[in-house]
Amino acid sequence: MNKFGKCLTCNVDLEPVYFEEKESKLYENTLIETGRVRTAVDYLVCPCCGERFIVDDSFDGPWVPKTYRG
Ligand SMILES: [Zn+2]
């Protein structure tokens, strides 16, 4: 079973579209990057009809140091 679910229209498995999210923190009223990144799911897309489904952060990976990934 596809953990991302199925398209309500086509009943086919949705596919995740990933992006690299940079972690940032508020420091003295300025948003600074911590240097850590994670692979986050931007949205799910149906390969059949192309419809996009917005998701929350429940599919996102753990934060890792940028150097870990090269
Ligand atoms: Zn569809």
Side-chain angles (χ1 to χ4, degrees):
M1 177 177 171
N2 182 8
K3 70 174 181 175
F4 298 110
K6 292 178 179 294
C7 177
L8 299 176
T9 305
C10 316
N11 199 36
V12 298
D13 289 346
L14 297 176
E15 297 176 353
V17 177
Y18 294 102
F19 73 105
E20 185 178 79
E21 182 178 6
K22 294 176 180 176
E23 187 182 45
S24 55
K25 284 181 179 175
L26 203 57
Y27 179 74
E28 292 182 351
N29 294 324
T30 305
L31 207 55
I32 60 169
E33 292 182 2
T34 65
R36 296 201 302 172
V37 297
R38 69 177 176 180
T39 301
V41 176
D42 198 1
Y43 56 86
L44 305 177
V45 64
C46 173
C48 183
C49 69
E51 185 171 352
R52 294 181 179 188
F53 297 85
I54 304 301
V55 295
D56 60 19
D57 62 359
S58 56
F59 298 123
D60 295 352
W63 292 107
V64 295
K66 177 72 173 176
T67 51
Y68 246 78
R69 302 158 57 89

